[in-house]
Amino acid sequence: MDSIFIYIAKSTFLLLLFYCAYSFLLRKETFFNSNRWFLLSGLIVSAILPLLTYTKVIWTEATPLLESFQPNLPSVEKEAPQFNWNQIILGIYGIGFIIFIIKLAIDFYSLNAIIKGKKVQQQADFKFIDINENIAPFSYFEYIVYNSSLYTASELENIIEHEKVHSDQNHTIDVLISRFFSIIFWFNPIVWLYKKAITQNLEFIADSEAAKKLLDKKAYQYTLLKITTHENCVAITNHFYQSLIKKRIVMLNKNQSKKRNSWKYYVVIPALAAFVLLFQVEVIAKEKPQIVTDKESNIASVDVFKIRKNSTDSELNEIKNNLQKNHNIKFEVSNIKRNASNQLTSISVDVKRGKQQATSVQSTDGEAINEFGILVITYKNGDKKIGIQTEDNSKNKEPKKATSNKLKTKTEKNANTNSTNSTKTNSITSTTVNTVVITDTDDKSSTNVVITSNPKVVVSNSVKTKMNMQLVVVDGEEMPSNFDVNSINPKNIESMSVYTGVNATAKYGEKGSQGVIEIETKK
């Protein structure tokens, strides 16, 4: 609803801009045809420009690696239900819209009743209809309607020349466009003033062009005065009778404006440019690629392409293009499902670079997925390694997902071997699946091991032999170097995470260079 109000405000501002430019700078000039297109342009610009935006990207510093994406937010008390003004406003608008639509339908019906069944006289591109009703002469597209019994021959000639201009230049289109705008924006007084300006300028055009073809200009003006006695007219037509006859006669006798005054049309351009820069620029913040240097491992940089619970299809496609273009990595997603809040509840991600492959599969019972990232490690010699950076949300909420990382190779033999090793290391029971698999036939180095919602935790021998050198963090607090992990009863452990290599140093710096063990105990 707020976006509708914003659109109306922007549209009204632009319409007011064009109306003021016409009223104060152009209305007294004799550039009638140019004024016609200026006014029509104002309607089109005011309707379309608020819908167009220019996207500006601002690069921001990336959040630290493995940092939680979801901060703890303060609880918000439920407010008492308030009166829904939006529905009231929409209801009032709908009533007004329907009333004006009905009025338009009545006008079309009246027009059809006048024209239908009448004798039509075709002359060139015009269709003349002589009626008996006491109605002011009017034109509607190629139809020119009048009551010849009310005028002399010279007066009728003046009237017909005037209506021919309306018909020949398709002024009916201008009348209908302004009428539709006044119906859609019936609540906006600027639209009604604008509609009146368009109609009045069309009469200036017809008067000017008709007077050029008539010998007696003064007789034409007398005809204008005579027609004012006929107050009945059809609203959706170009009718000879119009109010403000005095202004029409003044403009008819005014000297032609000098061409140098045409600069006035360009006054709106700086204002439109300012409008776009102030209101139509959409700023999007993007994180810079994360750079981590490690002297010992000879790593030059680490790039993380994050996949969040609110990631759209276009954002996933952008990740795909960046991975392919910058790292020659193939990125494919499948099994995408979203909940009513448009949050991802299921996704399968496969990344591949040569013989390296990483896979992440997440599926929940309607809840948002754990946010994760595609990890690309670039070494100083140009080599690259790929992986999946996962998140452990046990600090922020009750664990509902089981996460396991394991290594496997593309060959069936290695796959079976590593699957067995993973089974020895991790014992997981959960209805929710969150699996990460990393494959690299050329590199047998270890990767992150994350165990959550685990009724039984078994630490492998390879981890035990290095525990004395690793940094141990229990419930977010760093333990002293002589801390014995075995002193913790396994029954009291809620989850355990083991970080090695660049992931450990990225999160804990030099003190994590020998690896990090994170333990969350049951509360």
Side-chain angles (χ1 to χ4, degrees):
M1 192 67 183
D2 291 340
S3 59
I4 296 177
F5 290 143
I6 293 173
Y7 172 80
I8 292 173
K10 290 180 178 180
S11 179
T12 300
F13 171 80
L14 293 172
L15 204 63
L16 182 62
L17 173 66
F18 277 86
Y19 180 75
C20 289
Y22 172 77
S23 298
F24 295 110
L25 298 177
L26 301 171
R27 182 170 55 86
K28 295 183 179 180
E29 302 292 342
T30 60
F31 306 130
F32 303 129
N33 282 299
S34 297
N35 286 349
R36 176 193 181 188
W37 301 117
F38 179 85
L39 291 170
L40 287 177
S41 298
L43 287 178
I44 297 173
V45 169
S46 65
I48 296 178
L49 189 57
L51 301 175
L52 305 179
T53 57
Y54 167 75
T55 302
K56 180 180 179 181
V57 178
I58 296 180
W59 294 98
T60 60
E61 294 297 331
T63 55
L65 286 172
L66 299 172
E67 184 177 346
S68 176
F69 297 149
Q70 295 181 337
N72 290 326
L73 299 177
S75 60
V76 180
E77 295 183 358
K78 293 184 177 180
E79 298 181 355
Q82 297 180 350
F83 195 71
N84 195 335
W85 284 102
N86 291 340
Q87 292 184 358
I88 298 297
I89 294 173
L90 286 176
I92 295 174
Y93 171 81
I95 292 173
F97 180 81
I98 292 174
I99 290 175
F100 284 102
I101 285 291
I102 293 174
K103 178 64 168 61
L104 179 65
I106 293 174
D107 290 337
F108 274 114
Y109 177 80
S110 300
L111 174 64
N112 183 67
I114 294 173
I115 297 178
K116 187 177 180 180
K118 300 297 192 302
K119 182 179 180 181
V120 179
Q121 183 180 359
Q122 181 83 38
Q123 290 185 11
D125 295 330
F126 307 105
K127 296 179 179 179
F128 297 96
I129 300 178
D130 193 350
I131 61 176
N132 298 321
E133 291 86 347
N134 185 14
I135 297 177
F138 67 87
S139 62
Y140 182 76
F141 289 107
E142 71 272 21
Y143 290 95
I144 297 177
V145 182
Y146 53 87
N147 186 345
S148 60
S149 63
L150 301 177
Y151 314 104
T152 64
S154 61
E155 290 173 345
L156 189 59
E157 180 185 2
N158 295 335
I159 291 171
I160 290 177
E161 287 298 331
H162 178 96
E163 297 303 333
K164 278 184 177 180
V165 177
H166 283 312
S167 180
D168 190 50
Q169 297 188 12
N170 292 314
H171 289 176
T172 303
I173 295 177
D174 301 50
V175 173
L176 292 177
I177 290 176
S178 62
R179 180 69 180 273
F180 283 125
F181 264 82
S182 65
I183 293 175
I184 296 173
F185 299 97
W186 63 264
F187 55 87
N188 191 343
I190 302 300
V191 173
W192 294 98
L193 294 174
Y194 206 92
K195 175 178 176 294
K196 183 177 181 180
I198 289 177
T199 304
Q200 181 180 311
N201 184 70
L202 294 178
E203 294 305 315
F204 291 160
I205 295 174
D207 290 339
S208 177
E209 295 298 324
K212 293 177 182 178
K213 299 178 182 179
L214 298 172
L215 298 176
D216 193 344
K217 194 174 183 179
K218 184 175 292 186
Y220 180 81
Q221 298 175 47
Y222 282 125
T223 303
L224 290 179
L225 294 174
K226 181 177 180 179
I227 300 300
T228 58
T229 59
H230 301 285
E231 298 182 357
N232 295 326
C233 56
V234 181
I236 59 174
T237 61
N238 299 284
H239 38 86
F240 192 85
Y241 162 72
Q242 286 285 350
S243 59
L244 305 175
I245 292 295
K246 181 179 178 181
K247 289 185 178 180
R248 292 175 60 181
I249 294 176
V250 169
M251 296 303 293
L252 193 59
N253 291 281
K254 190 172 183 178
N255 294 328
Q256 291 295 313
S257 299
K258 297 179 180 179
K259 290 186 178 180
R260 65 170 178 262
N261 290 341
S262 59
W263 63 268
K264 298 178 181 179
Y265 290 104
Y266 305 103
V267 170
V268 298
I269 295 179
L272 292 176
F275 174 84
V276 171
L277 294 176
L278 290 174
F279 304 111
Q280 299 307 106
V281 176
E282 180 181 0
V283 179
I284 297 179
K286 290 188 177 182
E287 292 182 351
K288 296 178 181 178
Q290 300 187 61
I291 306 297
V292 178
T293 58
D294 189 334
K295 295 181 180 179
E296 294 182 0
S297 60
N298 202 31
I299 293 176
S301 66
V302 176
D303 297 334
V304 179
F305 299 84
K306 295 179 181 178
I307 298 177
R308 299 176 171 84
K309 61 184 179 181
N310 293 321
S311 293
T312 62
D313 291 342
S314 61
E315 290 172 343
L316 293 175
N317 190 53
E318 184 179 356
I319 292 176
K320 178 179 181 179
N321 294 334
N322 288 336
L323 287 171
Q324 179 65 42
K325 179 180 179 181
N326 300 324
H327 303 286
N328 194 27
I329 295 174
K330 294 182 179 180
F331 174 85
E332 299 293 338
V333 295
S334 59
N335 299 326
I336 294 178
K337 295 181 181 179
R338 291 184 169 86
N339 57 21
S341 301
N342 205 28
Q343 295 175 332
L344 286 169
T345 60
S346 173
I347 187 171
S348 299
V349 174
D350 293 293
V351 289
K352 184 178 181 181
R353 186 178 190 271
K355 297 180 180 180
Q356 300 180 67
Q357 183 174 353
T359 302
S360 176
V361 179
Q362 291 200 46
S363 179
T364 70
D365 297 330
E367 295 186 4
I369 64 169
N370 283 336
E371 298 174 344
F372 62 100
I374 309 302
L375 190 68
V376 182
I377 303 174
T378 304
Y379 295 90
K380 292 182 180 179
N381 62 2
D383 292 340
K384 295 179 184 289
K385 298 292 182 183
I386 62 175
I388 303 291
Q389 180 194 71
T390 61
E391 291 300 316
D392 183 6
N393 294 336
S394 59
K395 296 181 181 180
N396 297 330
K397 60 182 180 180
E398 291 296 327
K400 296 181 180 178
K401 301 179 176 61
T403 306
S404 66
N405 292 2
K406 59 182 179 179
L407 293 177
K408 71 172 186 178
T409 61
K410 280 189 170 182
T411 63
E412 186 66 26
K413 178 179 180 181
N414 289 337
N416 294 333
T417 301
N418 286 328
S419 176
T420 303
N421 293 337
S422 177
T423 305
K424 292 180 179 179
T425 305
N426 304 336
S427 176
I428 297 172
T429 304
S430 177
T431 58
T432 305
V433 179
N434 180 3
T435 306
V436 179
V437 180
I438 300 177
T439 303
D440 189 348
T441 58
D442 297 331
D443 186 8
K444 300 188 185 229
S445 60
S446 62
T447 185
N448 296 350
V449 178
V450 182
I451 307 172
T452 64
S453 300
N454 190 2
K456 182 179 179 182
V457 178
V458 180
V459 182
S460 64
N461 293 330
S462 61
V463 175
K464 287 182 179 179
T465 57
K466 297 182 180 180
M467 276 185 183
N468 293 333
M469 295 183 294
Q470 291 175 326
L471 174 65
V472 180
V473 180
V474 180
D475 292 334
E477 182 179 355
E478 298 179 7
M479 299 291 102
S481 59
N482 59 351
F483 180 78
D484 185 6
V485 176
N486 295 321
S487 63
I488 303 177
N489 189 340
K491 295 181 179 179
N492 296 329
I493 296 178
E494 176 71 25
S495 67
M496 175 183 289
S497 302
V498 180
Y499 300 98
T500 62
V502 64
N503 290 328
T505 56
K507 187 170 185 180
Y508 291 95
E510 286 297 325
K511 55 189 176 183
S513 60
Q514 299 300 322
V516 180
I517 299 176
E518 286 186 353
I519 299 175
E520 289 291 326
T521 61
K522 295 180 179 179
K523 303 300 186 292

